[in-house]
Amino acid sequence: MTEINSDFELVKSFIAGDESAFNKIVQKYQQKIYWHARRMTGNHLDADEIVQEVLIVLYEKLKDFKFQSSLYTWIYRITVTRSINFLKKRNLKKIFSIDDKLPKTMKSSEDIVGNLEVKEKFEKLEKVLQKVSPKQREVFIMRSFDELSYEEISQITGGSVGGLKANYFHAVKKIMELMKEDGKD
Amino acid sequence: MEKIDRVLKYIDGQMSDEEKSAFEKELASSAELNSKMEEYKNFFSEIKEIKEIPVDASYFVNMIPNFRNRIELKKKKKIFPKLALGFSTLTAVIIISLFLFKQPKNVTFVNLNSHGIDSTLSLLQVGISPLQDNFNFSNLSKEEEMKYDSVVTSMLSNELNLSSAGLNYINETGSNSDLQSLLQGVNDVEANKIYNELLHKKIF
């Protein structure tokens, strides 16, 4: 309740013209936005692009937010939508070979994951996640990393709880298989 | 349900109390189930490890300043298209105006509205009267008369959609005094109706 009040106060302040209130909202949720985008896209540069798009949408639409859901759910919904749209555009670009400058591998200096010990496992999971369908990837990320309930995920994505559970179970099995195969390479 | 699905359901907390209790009893006695359980537990603990990886904090520190720069750039980009649109619209208006209001050479426009209808008619009369003699059909030679007749005939033919047989019939009966007196008895409303029906039908 305190969190909702705090978000409510921040939104109210922003609507009243306090730009620093917007900065506080961003600081509060920026990691969640980034990591969802990062896990969906598999690389830092694409995740950064999505983050900037999400922030622009937040900035323009926050004045219209009516608190029909929590602020976090609303922000997450925008992030999920932008991520899925980005992936669709990226796939289209691949199909039509547009923008041949797309880097297949990112330089390590462009990544914010610096810890080498965990980086290997992280990159392995990132690679594996890209082989799972976006819908399954999405629910896996929200359930395993953000620890959201199926009801919360349903509010964000609009999917049915039953469908989400099925997607999650399929995703877990597939990711485990792919991790084993990757380990054998 | 497959063993894997039951393990997942158990780990995911989707089992009812009864289901959980039954599963735990089975787990106690099944090596295969235990092996699957361990496999999945290891998987989820790896996920948890990856979830909390240390990252370069400066990226998040700079996120807001980068965002503010983008907003400023976006505002500038909004102004430029508006200016471009305004400029091109103005250019188009100037070009169109030049064409519309440009006076052609050696033409004097008379504003008839300023003269009124009566004076307009008298102006026309003044213009036409020198030419009126030329339009007196009684002064036409036979050749000229036939030329005018053929023009009128072809106009009638095209408009009434008549064949040559039909036209001949009209020409012959046109001079018939019975038809003439019949035609004189037709008022304007009836004449219009007949005319419109003739236009849409082929009579002969």
Side-chain angles (χ1 to χ4, degrees):
Chain A
M1 198 63 173
T2 316
E3 185 156 346
I4 294 172
N5 286 344
S6 148
D7 283 346
F8 181 73
E9 293 303 322
L10 285 171
V11 172
K12 247 178 62 179
S13 298
F14 173 68
I15 293 170
D18 180 8
E19 289 286 324
S20 71
F22 182 81
N23 293 350
K24 285 177 188 156
I25 291 170
V26 171
Q27 278 159 358
K28 192 172 171 184
Y29 294 112
Q30 61 187 7
Q31 296 226 14
K32 293 211 185 281
I33 298 168
Y34 172 78
W35 284 114
H36 182 87
R38 177 71 190 253
R39 287 165 188 142
M40 285 299 285
T41 58
N43 73 81
H44 170 71
L45 294 174
D46 289 349
D48 182 51
E49 202 173 316
I50 292 171
V51 165
Q52 293 297 323
E53 280 181 23
V54 170
L55 295 186
I56 288 171
V57 171
L58 281 185
Y59 190 75
E60 289 174 356
K61 302 287 180 193
L62 196 54
K63 60 184 184 314
D64 301 325
F65 179 59
K66 303 281 181 232
F67 273 96
Q68 287 166 340
S69 66
S70 71
L71 184 61
Y72 175 51
T73 302
W74 186 67
I75 291 172
Y76 211 132
R77 198 181 295 138
I78 294 168
T79 310
V80 159
T81 312
R82 289 282 149 173
S83 301
I84 293 282
N85 288 348
F86 184 90
L87 289 172
K88 283 180 187 169
K89 264 193 277 181
R90 192 171 75 177
N91 286 341
L92 276 173
K93 281 183 185 174
K94 268 188 206 162
I95 289 166
F96 293 104
S97 304
I98 299 167
D99 196 2
D100 292 332
K101 293 175 201 166
L102 274 175
K104 290 192 178 148
T105 52
M106 198 174 46
K107 292 179 230 172
S108 57
S109 56
E110 289 168 330
D111 200 348
I112 65 169
V113 178
N115 186 311
L116 292 172
E117 200 182 314
V118 183
K119 195 178 166 103
E120 208 183 296
K121 285 184 187 173
F122 176 76
E123 284 176 350
K124 186 176 162 183
L125 179 66
E126 262 194 331
K127 216 168 79 176
V128 159
L129 278 175
Q130 293 306 304
K131 294 179 184 176
V132 171
S133 79
K135 284 290 174 191
Q136 288 179 3
R137 198 184 315 160
E138 188 177 81
V139 71
F140 178 80
I141 289 166
M142 287 195 264
R143 187 93 179 124
S144 303
F145 291 103
D146 294 313
E147 293 174 353
L148 296 176
S149 69
Y150 288 111
E151 287 71 24
E152 284 170 323
I153 299 171
S154 170
Q155 267 199 324
I156 291 165
T157 62
S160 68
V161 168
L164 291 168
K165 284 180 186 175
N167 270 338
Y168 178 66
F169 283 13
H170 285 309
V172 169
K173 283 189 261 185
K174 179 133 193 211
I175 291 166
M176 270 195 68
E177 263 175 53
L178 289 168
M179 297 276 271
K180 274 187 213 167
E181 279 173 23
D182 208 49
K184 285 175 189 170
D185 293 343
Chain B
M1 194 187 284
E2 272 190 47
K3 284 194 172 74
I4 292 173
D5 290 335
R6 284 192 293 142
V7 166
L8 270 175
K9 206 175 169 187
Y10 180 80
I11 293 173
D12 199 35
Q14 298 302 312
M15 279 186 171
S16 64
D17 290 339
E18 283 168 11
E19 282 175 321
K20 223 192 300 186
S21 168
F23 182 77
E24 280 165 358
K25 272 185 192 160
E26 197 181 340
L27 203 58
S29 57
S30 168
E32 193 188 348
L33 211 52
N34 262 296
S35 163
K36 282 285 170 210
M37 184 64 118
E38 277 310 303
E39 205 180 318
Y40 276 87
K41 274 186 176 173
N42 290 339
F43 170 73
F44 283 111
S45 65
E46 265 190 47
I47 296 290
K48 200 173 175 182
E49 209 180 300
I50 297 167
K51 183 176 155 183
E52 288 149 8
I53 51 172
V55 294
D56 179 7
S58 65
Y59 170 71
F60 293 104
V61 167
N62 293 326
M63 191 180 279
I64 292 170
N66 287 343
F67 162 72
R68 292 281 173 194
N69 285 340
R70 256 177 112 122
I71 285 281
E72 285 306 312
L73 270 169
K74 211 181 169 210
K75 282 180 188 168
K76 281 178 190 165
K77 277 184 187 173
K78 270 189 186 170
I79 294 167
F80 181 71
K82 282 183 186 169
L83 277 175
L85 181 67
F87 182 72
S88 58
T89 309
L90 185 65
T91 312
V93 165
I94 290 168
I95 292 168
I96 289 166
S97 306
L98 283 171
F99 276 113
L100 279 177
F101 297 113
K102 188 183 168 189
Q103 299 287 333
K105 291 178 188 174
N106 302 325
V107 172
T108 307
F109 286 96
V110 175
N111 186 350
L112 294 177
N113 286 333
S114 64
H115 292 276
I117 290 176
D118 290 340
S119 53
T120 306
L121 286 173
S122 64
L123 272 172
L124 284 170
Q125 194 76 31
V126 162
I128 287 169
S129 58
L131 307 170
Q132 266 181 324
D133 288 343
N134 292 338
F135 288 99
N136 186 345
F137 285 96
S138 60
N139 293 340
L140 289 175
S141 66
K142 272 288 173 193
E143 274 178 18
E144 283 168 327
E145 203 178 310
M146 278 174 68
K147 199 162 76 173
Y148 283 120
D149 274 347
S150 72
V151 167
V152 170
T153 305
S154 67
M155 278 169 61
L156 274 175
S157 164
N158 290 337
E159 201 164 346
L160 297 180
N161 199 20
L162 294 174
S163 64
S164 54
L167 276 170
N168 287 339
Y169 180 82
I170 286 173
N171 286 338
E172 284 162 20
T173 54
S175 56
N176 186 304
S177 59
D178 287 341
L179 181 62
Q180 289 292 334
S181 59
L182 181 69
L183 288 172
Q184 277 162 12
V186 172
N187 63 37
D188 287 343
V189 171
E190 287 166 327
N192 263 337
K193 194 178 166 189
I194 294 165
Y195 175 73
N196 285 327
E197 280 181 30
L198 285 173
L199 274 180
H200 293 295
K201 287 179 187 174
K202 193 166 180 79
I203 299 168
F204 299 103

